[in-house]
Amino acid sequence: MKAAVVPTVYVIDDDGGMRQAVQDLVESVGLRAEAFATGEEFLKRPRTADPSCLVLDVRLPQMSGLDFQQKLAELGVSVPIIFITAHGDIPMSVRALKSGAVEFLTKPFRDQDLLDAIQQALQRDRAAREQLAEVNDLRERYGALTPREREVMTLVISGMLNKHIAAKIGASEATVKIHRGHVMEKMQAGSLIELVRMGDRLNLPPR
């Protein structure tokens, strides 16, 4: 039997007391917690493949939390962030939220407010991981198509009829129908609309 997935909450705060308090709170509701004093420590630690989020202090000694948020984006590290700070202001919170933060909490905050934000962040990460898995699955299916089938798929989802596709690629209409059938089968598409949606998710270029 597969073990239940336990999400991880990463905590970055240079205040040891606050780090421990947040870690204890997170673990009290059955979640896993890992705490770090700096963003650099966090980057050195391999991330879990399970859902996770980051509780990040705005004021850190080497790099501010807001700058670290930007650095994570530049590195392609996607993790929902909850900011905590004792010295927040409106411009700071606006910048954080515009950059994708889930929440911006000012110390002292209620434990339940942080726990609610953590659950929201973990749900966002679960959804993002599911979408990524679905797109990766579609890419595998698309990769199984022959070059001709990919060409036919692109023309089909652009709205062209079989006879027009045949003229476009220099093949008979019967051949196009065969290629189209292979595309539907390999992509596991139950309808043209479903195939069009798959093309959108794969960002296929229109013809």
Side-chain angles (χ1 to χ4, degrees):
M1 185 176 178
K2 188 176 180 181
V5 172
V6 179
T8 300
V9 178
Y10 299 105
V11 183
I12 303 178
D13 196 316
D14 62 323
D15 182 331
M18 178 58 71
R19 275 202 314 276
Q20 190 62 54
V22 173
Q23 185 169 356
D24 290 345
L25 175 65
V26 168
E27 292 175 344
S28 74
V29 295
L31 300 174
R32 183 182 294 116
E34 293 186 25
F36 309 89
T38 66
E40 286 71 17
E41 288 180 15
F42 168 76
L43 290 176
K44 292 176 183 177
R45 176 77 167 84
R47 276 190 61 208
T48 175
D50 297 326
S52 62
C53 69
L54 174 59
V55 177
L56 178 61
D57 188 23
V58 171
R59 295 206 172 183
L60 295 171
Q62 298 172 346
M63 178 186 296
S64 76
L66 294 171
D67 289 339
F68 187 65
Q69 179 187 33
Q70 183 177 343
K71 182 175 182 178
L72 289 177
E74 292 170 353
L75 293 173
V77 177
S78 178
V79 56
I81 296 174
I82 300 157
F83 278 104
I84 56 176
T85 182
H87 309 282
D89 55 35
I90 292 177
M92 195 182 289
S93 63
V94 168
R95 176 184 166 187
L97 295 171
K98 277 190 172 181
S99 297
V102 174
E103 185 59 273
F104 193 97
L105 299 175
T106 302
K107 302 173 185 176
F109 45 78
R110 294 191 317 124
D111 289 352
Q112 192 58 51
D113 289 340
L114 178 58
L115 291 175
D116 289 345
I118 286 172
Q119 289 302 330
Q120 183 182 349
L122 291 174
Q123 185 54 41
R124 181 185 293 188
D125 196 46
R126 286 189 194 96
R129 288 170 183 270
E130 287 172 3
Q131 290 176 5
L132 180 59
E134 289 172 3
V135 170
N136 287 339
D137 183 48
L138 284 179
R139 285 176 181 154
E140 284 188 15
R141 297 183 210 171
Y142 185 71
L145 301 180
T146 66
R148 178 63 92 186
E149 288 166 353
R150 291 179 193 174
E151 183 180 20
V152 168
M153 176 177 172
T154 302
L155 295 173
V156 166
I157 63 177
S158 73
M160 289 182 68
L161 300 174
N162 287 347
K163 62 182 180 180
H164 297 148
I165 295 174
K168 176 84 173 176
I169 68 175
S172 69
E173 192 171 342
T175 299
V176 169
K177 287 181 180 178
I178 292 172
H179 286 316
R180 185 168 179 159
H182 288 164
V183 168
M184 298 294 286
E185 181 181 354
K186 291 181 180 180
M187 293 301 297
Q188 301 174 30
S191 66
L192 175 58
I193 291 176
E194 192 175 347
L195 189 69
V196 170
R197 287 173 179 159
M198 289 177 177
D200 287 341
R201 298 194 70 182
L202 290 168
N203 294 318
L204 295 185
R207 290 292 181 102

